[in-house]
Amino acid sequence: MAEEAKPPSIAPIKPGTSTSFGPLKQVDAGLLNVGYAEAGPAGGATVILLHGWPYDIYSFADVTPALASAGYRVIVPFVRGYGTTRFLSDDTPRNGQQSVLALDVIALMDTLEIDNAILGGFDWGARSAGVIAALRPDRCKALVSVSGYLIGSQAANDAPLPPRAEFAWWYQFYFGTDRGQAGYDKYRRDFSKLIWQLASPKWAFDDATFARSAAAFDNPDHVAIVIHNYRWRIRLAAGEPRYDDLERQLAEFPAIAVPTITLEGDANGAPHPEPSAYASKFTGKYEHRTIPGGVGHNLPQEAPQAFAQAVDDVDAF
């Protein structure tokens, strides 16, 4: 006899309902003073939500109160180079390589005395969450990852793609030039709005929604981190030698064994792999969900109900 589907455990969410996190917190963690939002009971199971580029913590503005109401302690940090997160030292390299962004999350967990957490993210955030799940599964109870397995390597990025696929990465090549760095610095809001429109072609976000996130791009280190992130991927910028061992491990594309739900919007206009290309990388209990309704790249903000439900469901795997 077939098992009956369980009813959703997350209350219905209308996207765009929540427009504020309230007062943010700041804490020294690793190389950074991290700005973050927190909600929910202190004793609840911890969920850490990680944003990407060019987005910020407001991608989780609706997801956060929904999970908090369900009993989770929710932590939503600004990535280095965004919002109120700052480097503790002017001498620290403004490094955006993948291993470093993941280590920032672990440092925050250490400071907040969080042994392990459910990690959820998209874009850069999904990559960071995947890195932790793969290399430090003791710190990751379960994973929700938009666009699946995003761990990469410089060697893999050496291989040319078919022209149409290369075209989708136009901004990465632009960022590889001095003109691109200067252009992004000068037009960072116009540039980011264009990316939002291209990556989520059916998302009718309003000016206020964009402005709330765009404020995070005024961070003094924002341009340096973004440019280094994309240049490092294609060997136009060096990483720091002390992270070489981690990058070698990631270049082997390690499997992820923690319970995982991957998500994809049915209208994601950003470069992304097909679910069939990465399903085998998840060797624990695993499920993929494609979210209908014209959902684009910024899935947590466009479809907060689906994202929050995935977090709650993966917790029960």
Side-chain angles (χ1 to χ4, degrees), residues 196-237:
W196 280 34
Q197 293 165 340
L198 295 174
S200 299
K202 297 185 178 182
W203 182 32
F205 60 88
D206 59 22
D207 290 342
T209 297
F210 177 75
R212 276 191 292 273
S213 288
F217 313 148
D218 294 332
N219 183 295
D221 300 304
H222 178 72
V223 173
I225 294 298
V226 171
I227 296 300
H228 186 267
N229 179 283
Y230 286 103
R231 289 185 178 181
W232 176 84
R233 298 187 196 194
I234 54 175
R235 299 189 197 269
L236 294 180

Side-chain angles (χ1 to χ4, degrees), residues 2-313:
E3 182 180 349
E4 292 186 9
K6 296 180 181 178
S9 52
I10 299 295
I13 305 170
K14 181 181 178 181
T17 299
S18 298
T19 59
S20 175
F21 286 101
L24 299 181
K25 298 183 177 182
Q26 297 287 144
V27 66
D28 288 351
L31 301 173
L32 305 170
N33 177 263
V34 179
Y36 66 99
E38 181 170 0
T46 302
V47 179
I48 299 177
L49 302 176
L50 304 171
H51 70 83
W53 172 84
Y55 306 93
D56 82 325
I57 64 174
Y58 279 97
S59 291
F60 302 104
D62 291 314
V63 170
T64 297
L67 290 175
S69 295
Y72 291 97
R73 178 192 182 192
V74 187
I75 307 290
V76 194
F78 283 112
V79 175
R80 57 169 59 192
Y82 294 76
T84 61
T85 292
R86 296 289 188 274
F87 284 86
L88 295 174
S89 172
D90 291 339
D91 297 329
T92 303
R94 274 34 180 181
N95 184 340
Q97 69 187 95
Q98 64 178 346
S99 59
V100 175
L101 300 181
L103 290 174
D104 288 344
V105 180
I106 293 175
L108 179 62
M109 293 175 69
D110 289 344
T111 297
L112 298 180
E113 299 182 343
I114 298 169
D115 291 332
N116 60 56
I118 301 167
L119 301 180
F122 73 107
D123 197 83
W124 290 16
R127 182 173 295 108
S128 296
V131 168
I132 297 168
L135 300 187
R136 291 298 307 273
D138 57 310
R139 308 304 298 269
C140 180
K141 179 182 179 184
L143 174 67
V144 173
S145 177
V146 177
S147 298
Y149 190 93
L150 296 180
I151 294 172
S153 77
Q154 291 176 316
N157 287 333
D158 286 342
L161 301 173
R164 187 172 296 276
E166 295 281 25
F167 177 72
W169 287 103
W170 65 271
Y171 52 88
Q172 180 167 265
F173 300 110
Y174 180 64
F175 288 161
T177 68
D178 291 341
R179 179 187 178 96
Q181 181 170 351
Y184 185 59
D185 191 11
K186 183 175 181 179
Y187 299 108
R188 65 183 81 179
R189 294 197 179 209
D190 291 339
F191 197 104
S192 297
K193 181 177 283 189
L194 175 62
I195 295 295
W196 280 34
Q197 293 165 340
L198 295 174
S200 299
K202 297 185 178 182
W203 182 32
F205 60 88
D206 59 22
D207 290 342
T209 297
F210 177 75
R212 276 191 292 273
S213 288
F217 313 148
D218 294 332
N219 183 295
D221 300 304
H222 178 72
V223 173
I225 294 298
V226 171
I227 296 300
H228 186 267
N229 179 283
Y230 286 103
R231 289 185 178 181
W232 176 84
R233 298 187 196 194
I234 54 175
R235 299 189 197 269
L236 294 180
E240 291 179 75
R242 60 178 169 155
Y243 304 117
D244 285 353
D245 184 59
L246 284 174
E247 294 296 347
R248 279 191 289 269
Q249 294 178 61
L250 295 172
E252 295 177 358
F253 302 108
I256 293 175
V258 304
T260 300
I261 293 176
T262 58
L263 302 172
E264 189 59 81
D266 65 344
N268 186 357
H272 63 280
E274 290 298 318
S276 60
Y278 55 71
S280 65
K281 301 306 296 183
F282 298 98
T283 58
K285 187 168 184 182
Y286 171 68
E287 181 180 328
H288 175 78
R289 300 173 181 177
T290 297
I291 310 304
V295 176
H297 190 60
N298 186 5
L299 191 149
Q301 195 162 3
E302 298 175 60
Q305 178 84 43
F307 191 93
Q309 189 62 58
V311 170
D312 195 53
D313 289 346

